[in-house]
Amino acid sequence: MVVSGQPLIVPDARADDRLHTDPAIAALGVIAYAGMPLTDADELVLGSLCALAHKPRPWTDEEQGDLTAACSAELRLRILSAQRRSTQKVMETARATAEQARSDAERLEHEPRPASTMPSCC
């Protein structure tokens, strides 16, 4: 699925040539498998989101649609979460910079000025 970018729908992994010898399938006791690719905006496959069952079952078009929607929602949530973390870091840096600028301005306001920078008078 990651290579092809296509969903992988398997009603009974024991009878499927692609999966019946997969050690992970046997170790987890997976019989039915429905996997949908997680893709970015450029259709690059980033991974997959899967539903498993421990007995044979068909996967309806509605269930496949729900899994596809769950993939899209999960990916959007992860992107938004990463953007939020990035924005928070930018905001924290901006706050620290503003605080430092305020502190510098207050310090300079109270420091005596050298004579060369004093306004000349008569």
Side-chain angles (χ1 to χ4, degrees), residues 4 6 12 20 29 33 36 38 51 53-54 59 65 72 74 76 83 95 102 108 121:
S4 73
Q6 298 300 311
D12 189 339
H20 76 279
Y33 176 93
M36 297 295 170
L38 290 170
H54 297 287
W59 299 96
S72 297
E74 178 66 21
R76 278 194 310 274
Q83 289 172 339
R95 280 190 198 107
R102 270 193 290 279
L108 290 172
C121 41

Side-chain angles (χ1 to χ4, degrees), residues 1 101 118:
M1 170 187 350
M118 295 289 230

Side-chain angles (χ1 to χ4, degrees), residues 46-110:
L46 306 173
S48 63
L49 184 64
C50 307
L52 311 172
H54 297 287
K55 57 184 173 182
R57 70 181 304 274
W59 299 96
T60 67
D61 289 343
E62 182 179 0
E63 290 170 323
Q64 291 178 45
D66 289 347
L67 190 55
T68 299
C71 286
S72 297
E74 178 66 21
L75 194 53
R76 278 194 310 274
L77 286 172
R78 288 177 183 254
I79 289 168
L80 289 172
S81 179
Q83 289 172 339
R84 181 174 174 254
R85 284 190 304 274
S86 178
T87 300
Q88 284 177 323
K89 286 180 184 177
V90 168
M91 293 298 293
E92 289 168 8
T93 300
R95 280 190 198 107
T97 301
E99 263 314 303
Q100 185 63 51
R102 270 193 290 279
S103 176
D104 290 348
E106 287 174 7
R107 181 179 47 79
L108 290 172
E109 205 173 84
H110 295 87

